Amino acid sequence: MRLAALFVAVLAVLGCAIADNAVDRTTMEVRGSQLWISGEINSRTPANFEAVIAGNPQITVVVQGVMPGSLDDQAVLRMGYFLRDRRLNTHLTAQSEIYSGAVDLFLAGVRRTAQNGAVIGVHSWADGFGEGSSYPKDAAEHQANAQYTRDMLGSDAFYWFTLQAAPSDGIHEMTRGELARFGVLTQP
């Protein structure tokens, strides 16, 4: 009986994960040379993001609004490398709130700017076996994210900071001093 209940629970969780990725949870709006994006990144988002940018070669800046993070880390890395390869900039307005994977997307901007009032929130990741901060530094689980951070910022120090800043079920809103220390912004 317990095995059957466990099986049903696993199917329910998998069903939720599939449903969460069934529809792109972001909104994208082109405003002249800017692409405004809000919402949660999932496995459907990269293809839509790439299509909007490819169809609008005038875009030079991705403006992030309220973005709670991502359901798919690989989707964020794909979007980030795509954004950087096109030499686009990222910007946060005073009303922007970006968290978790949305911060990783922000890092991809060649020029990264934020108005006063913007919120940048970070935390560790978890994979069902433990917190990212609990894995040894040389663990394979860190490789892709540490490399991405090095590629975007020239150092992986920011990645290691995020693992210690808050647990996966918490959030740490970065201070101006922290943003400067890790080079998150290229200009205030």
Side-chain angles (χ1 to χ4, degrees):
M1 188 66 161
R2 285 185 182 174
L3 186 57
L6 178 61
F7 182 71
V8 169
V10 168
L11 284 178
V13 169
L14 289 175
C16 289
I18 291 167
D20 283 343
N21 276 303
V23 176
D24 187 358
R25 295 180 177 277
T26 60
T27 59
M28 296 180 222
E29 179 185 350
V30 176
R31 298 181 189 174
S33 64
Q34 299 178 335
L35 171 60
W36 287 64
I37 183 170
S38 292
E40 191 169 40
I41 298 167
N42 68 20
S43 62
R44 302 270 180 172
T45 311
N48 294 336
F49 182 73
E50 292 167 8
V52 169
I53 290 173
N56 294 278
Q58 78 278 11
I59 293 173
T60 59
V61 179
V62 174
V63 180
Q64 293 175 259
V66 176
M67 300 187 75
S70 68
L71 297 172
D72 184 335
D73 289 341
Q74 293 307 309
V76 173
L77 300 185
R78 176 178 162 185
M79 290 172 66
Y81 282 118
F82 181 85
L83 195 155
R84 179 59 67 93
D85 287 348
R86 274 134 195 89
R87 312 271 314 139
L88 301 177
N89 302 314
T90 50
H91 178 70
L92 303 176
T93 70
Q95 292 76 38
S96 295
E97 294 181 23
I98 61 170
Y99 302 96
S100 191
V103 176
D104 294 331
L105 180 63
F106 180 76
L107 298 180
V110 172
R111 191 168 158 246
R112 299 175 301 277
T113 57
Q115 295 175 341
N116 286 332
V119 176
I120 298 175
V122 298
H123 62 170
S124 179
W125 52 265
D127 63 2
F129 299 104
E131 293 283 320
S133 59
S134 69
Y135 285 87
K137 225 175 176 183
D138 62 351
E141 289 83 358
H142 293 301
Q143 288 179 348
N145 288 324
Q147 184 61 53
Y148 175 85
T149 306
R150 278 192 297 277
D151 291 343
M152 298 306 155
L153 299 180
S155 164
D156 60 7
F158 176 72
Y159 172 69
W160 302 112
F161 165 78
T162 65
L163 295 181
Q164 300 301 320
S168 62
D169 62 353
I171 204 75
H172 169 74
E173 292 183 4
M174 294 186 70
T175 66
R176 283 290 177 176
E178 290 166 343
L179 294 171
R181 183 168 97 213
F182 294 107
V184 173
L185 301 177
T186 56
Q187 292 181 304

